[in-house]
Amino acid sequence: MERYLNAQQAAEELDISLQTLYAYVSRGLIRSEAMGGSKRNRRYNAEDVNRLKERREGRRNPDKLAESALHFGTPLLDSAITLIEDGRLYYRGLDATELALHESIERVAALIWTSDLHTELYPSRLSLPPRWLQISPGLQHLNVFERFQVVLPLVGADDFTGFDLRPASVIQTGVNILRLLAMIAADREMQSNESIAAALCQSWQVESPLGEKLLDAALILCADHELNISAFAARCVASAGSTPYAAVSAGLAALQGTKHGGNTSRVAALLREVGSPDKAARVISDRLKRGEAIPGFGHRLYPGDDPRAQMLLTLLAEVDGLQLPQAIIQSVDEFMGEKPNIDFALVALEDTLNLPDGSALTLFALGRTVGWMGHALEQYETDRLIRPRARYTGVAPVDV
């Protein structure tokens, strides 16, 4: 559907009269704007028309509406955090790719949690909690993401301020969680004036002078992506009145799945399989012949380029020629016409900067923690339990 419709098209799409269309506009149900400086010549927002049409059809068939909402369909919840529109991504109305160029993850966290980039979030000093220091030696066999999942609920059990669900307290708990995960990833304490990107660059021994900029960009581009499965999981847990620690733990549990952030491990395996640029075409074609998927390409919300991947790969190209990733991108484009998504870009970053194995998922989790906390904040403020009903398909009840 086009972005705009004229009055006749909008009325026909909704099967209503022009007078009813104008009434919908006056009630704020459909946005319109003047064309060519004429107040009488207006165009109407096609997305609003389509949403209103789906809502009317849903009233006729509520079961179908509920089913589509749970399967990448009708918008299910209101949120003021993220907008995906016309192939672009916005946080609180600001272009996420522009934020990735100029801001830090700390400032973007302030934007998502408070609607203001300039809000000061951080206390004078944060230390690793005693429980973490006690168990840390016994977790060295786990990867960083697994340590996130083990440590977070243990720390949450000791942090009684986490049970205070007033906005200011939730924001401070969000700061503690984000910094805790960063310290686990860096495997050391951080000073209050030390950025997450700087700490990771030092601990991961990133040699590129653009290292901090690249890590911040990756974190920002991963910060939120509307109501994906991990954000929905975090909101569901928050809706039950559980702590932010529990909400973020739910987000982590969903993110590790191979249909979400865990897909980065498949992308990493693809890069290892290709090995060198000259083998890219053969490996991709062989996979296609075997009916195997090519991970890290295409996204249902972006018919063209994933703007997150495009931005991160553009920044990476300033550091390295990206011969291997670019060879894979070229082959996939030639054979399938698909563009790389954020999963591929994160793995390309891991490969280019020689980061520890699994760093793509680590960065994904750190960045997305900002979004999970934003969704938890919204859910606490609505104070409504998320509780859909199930359609029973089992054996009919039998009298005994």
Side-chain angles (χ1 to χ4, degrees):
M1 181 180 287
E2 297 293 331
R3 185 174 181 183
Y4 295 101
L5 303 172
N6 62 36
Q8 191 63 42
Q9 289 171 327
E12 290 177 358
E13 191 71 25
L14 291 168
D15 193 23
I16 57 176
S17 67
L18 290 175
Q19 288 73 17
T20 302
L21 174 68
Y22 303 148
Y24 285 169
V25 172
S26 67
R27 288 159 54 191
L29 297 175
I30 298 175
R31 290 168 289 179
S32 70
E33 59 185 54
M35 295 175 58
S38 171
K39 293 184 178 180
R40 300 187 64 180
N41 188 19
R42 305 187 70 83
R43 60 183 183 178
Y44 300 82
N45 187 286
E47 183 180 356
D48 290 349
V49 171
N50 191 49
R51 185 182 296 116
L52 190 57
K53 182 179 179 181
E54 288 178 347
R55 191 181 305 167
R56 292 172 61 195
E57 291 173 349
R59 283 198 292 267
R60 300 190 192 105
N61 190 348
D63 289 344
K64 183 178 180 180
L65 178 64
E67 183 177 354
S68 69
L70 293 173
H71 295 281
F72 226 113
T74 305
L76 189 65
L77 293 171
D78 292 337
S79 176
I81 298 172
T82 297
L83 172 67
I84 300 170
E85 185 175 68
D86 296 332
R88 298 175 70 182
L89 174 67
Y90 302 89
Y91 301 149
R92 302 284 187 191
L94 300 179
D95 191 312
T97 58
E98 290 297 317
L99 291 170
L101 276 177
H102 305 296
E103 300 295 348
S104 66
I105 187 59
E106 288 83 0
R107 280 168 61 90
V108 171
L111 172 67
I112 289 177
W113 298 347
T114 74
S115 301
D116 185 355
L117 276 168
H118 306 289
T119 301
E120 181 58 49
L121 297 178
Y122 300 100
S124 59
R125 180 177 173 80
L126 283 166
S127 296
L128 286 167
R131 183 82 70 100
W132 161 244
L133 296 174
Q134 293 168 7
I135 67 173
S136 178
L139 300 180
Q140 296 306 309
H141 64 291
L142 300 178
N143 63 41
V144 172
F145 191 88
E146 291 166 340
R147 292 180 209 175
F148 288 169
Q149 293 180 293
V150 171
V151 173
L152 194 60
L154 292 176
V155 174
D158 287 342
D159 185 1
F160 297 108
T161 62
F163 293 90
D164 184 351
L165 302 185
R166 293 173 298 175
S169 181
V170 172
I171 288 171
Q172 191 53 61
T173 300
V175 173
N176 293 340
I177 290 173
L178 183 60
R179 301 283 280 190
L180 169 66
L181 297 182
M183 286 188 279
I184 294 171
D187 201 24
R188 65 171 177 81
E189 292 198 16
M190 294 169 55
Q191 299 300 315
S192 61
N193 61 350
E194 185 179 22
S195 73
I196 292 172
L200 294 178
C201 271
Q202 184 184 67
S203 295
W204 291 349
Q205 299 179 343
V206 177
E207 297 179 357
S208 170
L210 294 177
E212 287 186 36
K213 179 180 180 180
L214 286 165
L215 294 187
D216 254 330
L219 293 168
I220 291 167
L221 293 168
C222 289
D224 194 54
H225 206 234
E226 200 209 62
L227 200 59
N228 51 77
I229 181 60
S230 59
F232 186 58
R235 286 193 83 120
C236 286
V237 170
S239 81
S242 297
T243 70
Y245 286 94
V248 173
S249 292
L252 288 170
L255 185 69
Q256 74 172 353
T258 55
K259 294 181 180 180
H260 198 0
N263 191 50
T264 53
S265 64
R266 291 179 169 178
V267 178
L270 173 64
L271 262 68
R272 289 194 297 271
E273 182 181 354
V274 174
S276 61
D278 60 295
K279 297 180 181 178
R282 178 176 59 79
V283 170
I284 299 302
S285 62
D286 284 349
R287 279 192 169 220
L288 292 174
K289 289 175 184 176
R290 295 192 298 267
E292 298 176 6
I294 309 299
F297 288 84
H299 197 291
R300 293 176 67 178
L301 291 179
Y302 303 112
D305 288 319
D306 180 337
R308 304 167 299 170
Q310 187 179 33
M311 172 57 68
L312 193 53
L313 290 169
T314 298
L315 291 174
L316 267 177
E318 298 179 23
V319 176
D320 183 87
L322 299 179
Q323 287 88 353
L324 178 58
Q326 287 294 356
I328 295 173
I329 291 170
Q330 182 177 347
S331 294
V332 173
D333 186 36
E334 179 183 347
F335 296 144
M336 303 174 64
E338 295 281 6
K339 305 296 183 182
N341 59 34
I342 189 62
D343 297 344
F344 186 88
L346 289 171
V347 174
L349 174 70
E350 177 183 313
D351 181 70
T352 301
L353 297 185
N354 295 313
L355 304 181
D357 290 345
S359 296
L361 183 56
T362 298
L363 290 169
F364 205 155
L366 278 172
R368 191 56 58 88
T369 295
V370 172
W372 295 332
M373 287 302 307
H375 285 282
L377 274 161
E378 283 192 336
Q379 199 60 44
Y380 292 139
E381 291 193 59
T382 64
D383 196 25
R384 294 183 62 184
L385 181 67
I386 297 173
R387 204 309 190 178
R389 293 295 307 278
R391 183 188 300 113
Y392 180 69
T393 59
V395 177
V398 178
D399 293 330
V400 293

